[in-house]
Amino acid sequence: MEKKYTPSLWICILMDLIGCASYAVPVLGDVSDFIWAPISAFVFYRMFGGTLGTFGSVFNFMEELFPGTDIIPTFTLAWVLKRVLAGRRMASKESVSFK
């Protein structure tokens, strides 16, 4: 059985904090979001891949560009979603193997 890669929670939290760091400098923050948005979307896709990575990277890109939405912890939410989905898959595989 092949184990799928799940990024570290700490890396996801760090990426969210970097995205929120643009609020530290008021005027520079909006400019830095234009630079950070594509970088963040690329990193998101590479970390999660597949459908979650594709949808999440587009959402992350838009979230970084729109003012006031940087507070959404996109990486951390995706980590939780991936863990929940992985847990459900494992539970469904175990229930099928015992029948």
Side-chain angles (χ1 to χ4, degrees), residues 30-74:
D30 294 330
V31 174
S32 68
D33 281 344
F34 284 108
I35 297 168
W36 176 246
I39 295 169
S40 177
F42 177 75
V43 169
F44 191 99
Y45 180 75
R46 296 291 293 165
M47 283 177 69
F48 292 99
T51 305
L52 178 61
T54 303
F55 174 76
S57 65
V58 171
F59 181 81
N60 190 5
F61 181 77
M62 300 304 286
E63 177 247 332
E64 289 295 335
L65 283 182
F66 290 129
T69 58
D70 282 348
I71 194 113
I72 300 170
T74 313

Side-chain angles (χ1 to χ4, degrees), residues 8-47:
S8 168
L9 176 61
W10 296 112
I11 292 173
C12 292
I13 291 172
L14 177 67
M15 294 300 292
D16 286 329
L17 288 174
I18 291 170
C20 289
S22 64
Y23 282 123
V25 181
V27 177
L28 188 63
D30 294 330
V31 174
S32 68
D33 281 344
F34 284 108
I35 297 168
W36 176 246
I39 295 169
S40 177
F42 177 75
V43 169
F44 191 99
Y45 180 75
R46 296 291 293 165
M47 283 177 69

